[in-house]
Amino acid sequence: MVFQPIDPTPSPRRPRFKAIPVRTLVPNLITLLALCAGLTAIRLAIESKLEWALAAIVFAALLDGIDGRVARMLKGTSKFGAELDSLADFVNFGVAPALILYFWGLHDLKSAGWIVALVFAICAGLRLARFNVMADDPDAPAWAGNFFTGIPAPAGALTVLLPIYLYFLGVPNGPVTIWLTFFYTLTIALLMVSRLPVFSGKRVGKRVPPEMVLPVFVVVVLFVALLISYPWEVLSAGAVVYLACLPLGWLSWRDYKRKDALAAAAGTPASPAGAEAAPLAEPGPTPGAEGDRPARLN
């Protein structure tokens, strides 16, 4: 035959994907900027520019603190954004601080210094993996959203760098200081993967009373001015205060558990999740909701 017969059945069309709204791209762009800041911090640490490396980590932490809130405000949450945020958190608050500490002074301990840097980075990754697994727990009580399980990754990164803050304040970088940094880094790493309840602060600041708008502006401007003018003093004080407040989170969590136990003994439901309190879990997306962005680590 000269001509091939024509098949009357039309060929199946390839599925066409919907256009992605811009509001879903904005939070991911913020997350990518934070990731760039974390990677730049590693380069600056290799070049012995520790001041700028720490500034990049602080900048990454600030961006990590707003990307999730921006996503929820713009209703641009997505599973892709949640996975990208997890990757950025591991690099920015696990790998980068460990390498900064190693290039700063832990390298003097040779293999021991490298091991503790590895332990910190691995603990950050394990904490992140546990968070992703626990985020979908539907049996968690309503008050569990007020707490993290273990120190969150951004707080752990800013806290573990305390020895370098003190170094810039004049504390000598001698053998004793390096060994103290070794044990301090190991302690922060273990606190990140521990079961210690820590205040999350996610439900703070969602609504501001009208009479508090101007004071909030003044406090924010004052904090930024102090951070720029006296960075090492502000960061050191913040790290010490944060560590000192860790027992308060455990005491508050214990009070919640005791109230749930009393309510369960009285036969009344203690929380929307049920009368019996569930194990501590981190807040996550509403079960069954499509496209919700899991709660951030910050």
Side-chain angles (χ1 to χ4, degrees):
M1 297 179 65
V2 180
F3 299 100
Q4 296 292 334
I6 299 175
D7 187 3
T9 60
S11 59
R13 294 184 177 180
R14 298 179 59 185
R16 302 182 64 180
F17 297 98
K18 296 182 179 180
I20 300 176
V22 176
R23 56 185 171 82
T24 63
L25 299 179
V26 174
N28 296 330
L29 290 176
I30 297 176
T31 304
L32 287 176
L33 288 176
L35 180 58
C36 292
L39 293 173
T40 304
I42 297 176
R43 174 193 170 182
L44 293 171
I46 296 174
E47 296 175 352
S48 299
K49 300 177 181 178
L50 292 178
E51 298 93 337
W52 290 104
L54 297 181
I57 293 296
V58 173
F59 182 63
L62 294 176
L63 292 178
D64 183 76
I66 66 174
D67 58 357
R69 290 171 174 80
V70 170
R72 288 187 287 271
M73 285 191 300
L74 298 179
K75 297 182 179 180
T77 57
S78 64
K79 294 181 179 179
F80 175 83
E83 297 300 327
L84 180 63
D85 182 72
S86 299
L87 175 62
D89 285 345
F90 174 65
V91 174
N92 297 340
F93 311 123
V95 177
L99 292 178
I100 291 175
L101 285 169
Y102 180 77
F103 291 129
W104 167 71
L106 289 178
H107 65 274
D108 292 339
L109 304 180
K110 299 182 180 179
S111 296
W114 179 244
I115 289 173
V116 77
L118 285 178
V119 169
F120 180 83
I122 290 173
C123 286
L126 292 176
R127 191 223 177 274
L128 184 59
R130 183 182 64 185
F131 172 81
N132 291 338
V133 171
M134 297 176 64
D136 296 325
D137 186 3
D139 299 324
W143 52 264
N146 297 326
F147 301 93
F148 286 124
T149 303
I151 295 180
L158 295 178
T159 304
V160 79
L161 295 172
L162 177 61
I164 305 182
Y165 308 153
L166 298 178
Y167 168 74
F168 286 121
L169 290 177
V171 177
N173 188 14
V176 177
T177 304
I178 298 303
W179 276 109
L180 290 176
T181 302
F182 175 91
F183 291 108
Y184 176 76
T185 304
L186 184 61
T187 301
I188 298 299
L190 295 178
L191 285 175
M192 291 175 65
V193 296
S194 68
R195 302 290 300 177
L196 179 68
V198 179
F199 282 123
S200 66
K202 290 186 175 183
R203 300 182 181 180
V204 177
K206 289 187 176 181
R207 299 287 181 178
V208 179
E211 64 274 8
M212 293 299 297
V213 172
L214 293 181
V216 167
F217 286 160
V218 173
V219 170
V220 171
V221 172
L222 179 62
F223 174 77
V224 174
L226 289 175
L227 183 61
I228 295 175
S229 302
Y230 307 98
W232 314 126
E233 291 85 352
V234 172
L235 291 173
S236 299
V240 172
V241 171
Y242 183 82
L243 292 175
C245 291
L246 290 180
L248 300 180
W250 178 78
L251 292 174
S252 178
W253 177 81
R254 189 182 62 175
D255 290 339
Y256 277 112
K257 292 284 289 184
R258 184 172 62 250
K259 291 178 182 178
D260 276 5
L262 294 175
T268 57
S271 65
E276 187 173 348
L280 175 63
E282 301 184 15
T286 304
E290 285 290 327
D292 283 346
R293 194 186 193 94
R296 298 302 182 110
L297 289 178
N298 51 298

